[in-house]
Amino acid sequence: LAKTTQPISMDSYEGQEVNITCSHNNIATNDYITWYQQFPSQGPRFIIQGYKTKVTNEVASLFIPADRKSSTLSLPRVSLSDTAVYYCLVGDMVDTGFQKLVFGTGTRLLVSP
Amino acid sequence: DAGVTQSPTHLIKTRGQQVTLRCSPKSGHDTVSWYQQALGQGPQFIFQYYEEEERQRGNFPDRFSGHQFPNYSSELNVNALLLGDSALYLCASSSDGQETQYFGPGTRLLVL
């Protein structure tokens, strides 16, 4: 059972900012929040990861409120090439200490001209 | 610096056959995880290998087995193939103790 809930799909236009929100009400203290992007017939690509507050890299920003029960992936000025499926994952640390990634069905983002 | 590589890219098998898929991790990584992704679904965790041993396993039958070699590369074996095994099989590598996993391009398996 996926530990996250995110919209099934979103539509946007080139140049707009896109915000995808993910709910993870049962996030554990040691869990990290990670976002992946996947194009058709390709493996998922790591976008960004965070634990709390805000994280920014050259691709996206990740906003995490204090209660950590949700997070928002922000893609500034999207282009057609940002059309993909975006997965929000919460780190699943088992006793051995490693992370088993648990994917949901993701959010299909369609960027139009 | 090569990323995660997988072979073959595509494969067609018939029911009952056996298949072996291969993965080479990203340079510097010692942990390999395998995932199965059915069409329209998110990847599902099969198992993870570290120090040549299976460290954790997802909800997959014993028909799915694996191996990790001293150079950290890995194989996924599936016996007695079923139609439902048709999927994209993804390999991901990471460095033990680090959260981020990097995925390969996958192997598309079609079982007829």
Side-chain angles (χ1 to χ4, degrees):
Chain A
L1 184 64
K3 297 171 62 173
T4 61
T5 302
Q6 51 185 121
I8 295 175
S9 64
M10 294 183 68
D11 295 323
S12 184
Y13 294 96
E14 283 187 295
Q16 290 190 332
E17 178 184 74
V18 171
N19 296 308
I20 306 175
T21 297
C22 178
S23 297
H24 27 80
N25 292 319
N26 297 319
I27 189 169
T29 302
N30 293 332
D31 284 345
Y32 281 75
I33 300 156
T34 310
W35 286 80
Y36 281 83
Q37 173 194 55
Q38 187 177 26
F39 299 111
S41 297
Q42 294 186 25
R45 181 177 77 103
F46 171 85
I47 300 176
I48 197 166
Q49 183 180 77
Y51 184 79
K52 60 181 179 180
T53 65
K54 176 184 175 181
V55 180
T56 297
N57 61 23
E58 65 278 6
V59 176
S61 294
L62 178 59
F63 298 92
I64 306 170
D67 65 7
R68 304 201 327 124
K69 294 184 183 298
S70 67
S71 60
T72 299
L73 173 72
S74 181
L75 305 173
R77 299 179 299 282
V78 294
S79 63
L80 297 178
S81 63
D82 292 317
T83 293
V85 178
Y86 292 82
Y87 293 98
C88 164
L89 293 87
V90 171
D92 187 7
M93 301 295 288
V94 298
D95 292 340
T96 53
F98 82 102
Q99 183 191 57
K100 177 181 75 175
L101 297 182
V102 180
F103 287 83
T105 52
T107 296
R108 296 183 180 278
L109 173 65
L110 175 62
V111 180
S112 302
Chain B
D1 175 28
V4 180
T5 59
Q6 293 185 242
S7 63
T9 56
H10 296 82
L11 203 53
I12 299 176
K13 292 286 188 178
T14 57
R15 283 179 298 174
Q17 285 189 312
Q18 178 265 344
V19 68
T20 298
L21 310 181
R22 296 176 176 80
C23 171
S24 292
K26 183 178 170 66
S27 177
H29 286 181
D30 55 12
T31 302
V32 173
S33 302
W34 286 92
Y35 294 80
Q36 179 196 65
Q37 185 174 25
L39 202 59
Q41 302 297 314
Q44 300 298 307
F45 175 77
I46 302 175
F47 43 53
Q48 184 180 86
Y49 277 84
Y50 172 69
E51 292 188 340
E52 302 181 48
E53 291 192 0
E54 182 182 293
R55 182 157 69 170
Q56 184 68 12
R57 189 179 185 89
N59 188 27
F60 280 81
D62 292 343
R63 297 187 297 109
F64 290 77
S65 63
H67 187 76
Q68 186 178 33
F69 299 94
N71 66 353
Y72 308 120
S73 66
S74 177
E75 289 182 349
L76 164 66
N77 300 293
V78 186
N79 294 321
L81 284 168
L82 304 174
L83 297 180
D85 295 331
S86 295
L88 180 67
Y89 288 86
L90 296 161
C91 167
S93 73
S94 58
S95 221
D96 185 48
Q98 295 192 8
E99 304 263 341
T100 306
Q101 295 186 20
Y102 293 86
F103 284 81
T107 294
R108 175 74 63 185
L109 172 65
L110 177 62
V111 182
L112 301 177

